Amino acid sequence: MYVGALELDLLLGDVHSLKQKRSVVRPIIAELRKRFEVSVAESGHLDLHRRSLIGVAVVAADAQHVRTVLDACERTVAGRPEIELLAARQRLLGPEDE
């Protein structure tokens, strides 16, 4: 079993309130869940208007599949015009990581 985690640090566009922030972040989270069948949550920068940290997790029997899914998630978020992807960090845990 392999577990992959992806952390996406985002700078949001023209956002001036937490309500506007939610209206940008929630569709991103919903798209990743639906399109890639991964677990996703906003996990950081919760009190900042223009920043968001999104965490993505996936479990699979094959390490390459985990990497492929996380790379696709990263590309999807990076391609959205209303945000700027500041950083992306991937982690992979497998049977040898005890």
Side-chain angles (χ1 to χ4, degrees):
M1 176 178 76
Y2 292 88
V3 178
L6 173 64
E7 199 174 67
L8 301 166
D9 191 0
L10 309 178
L11 177 65
L12 308 178
D14 189 28
V15 173
H16 302 288
S17 70
L18 293 176
K19 186 176 181 179
Q20 285 180 318
K21 176 183 178 177
R22 276 194 313 274
S23 72
V24 173
V25 172
R26 289 174 92 191
I28 293 170
I29 290 172
E31 178 183 5
L32 293 174
R33 276 187 187 137
K34 183 176 180 180
R35 192 166 166 193
F36 300 106
E37 296 181 0
V38 293
S39 295
V40 188
E42 184 177 11
S43 57
H45 305 307
L46 300 174
D47 56 345
L48 300 176
H49 298 339
R50 296 196 61 219
R51 293 285 297 278
S52 181
L53 189 67
I54 294 178
V56 180
V58 62
V59 177
D62 178 1
Q64 184 57 43
H65 179 69
V66 171
R67 284 190 202 98
T68 300
V69 171
L70 294 180
D71 287 343
C73 289
E74 183 179 338
R75 279 192 308 276
T76 298
V77 172
R80 294 185 72 105
E82 71 273 18
I83 59 117
E84 180 182 344
L85 180 59
L86 298 176
R89 181 176 173 190
Q90 287 190 22
R91 294 181 215 158
L92 180 67
L93 299 171
E96 63 279 354
D97 298 315
E98 292 186 34

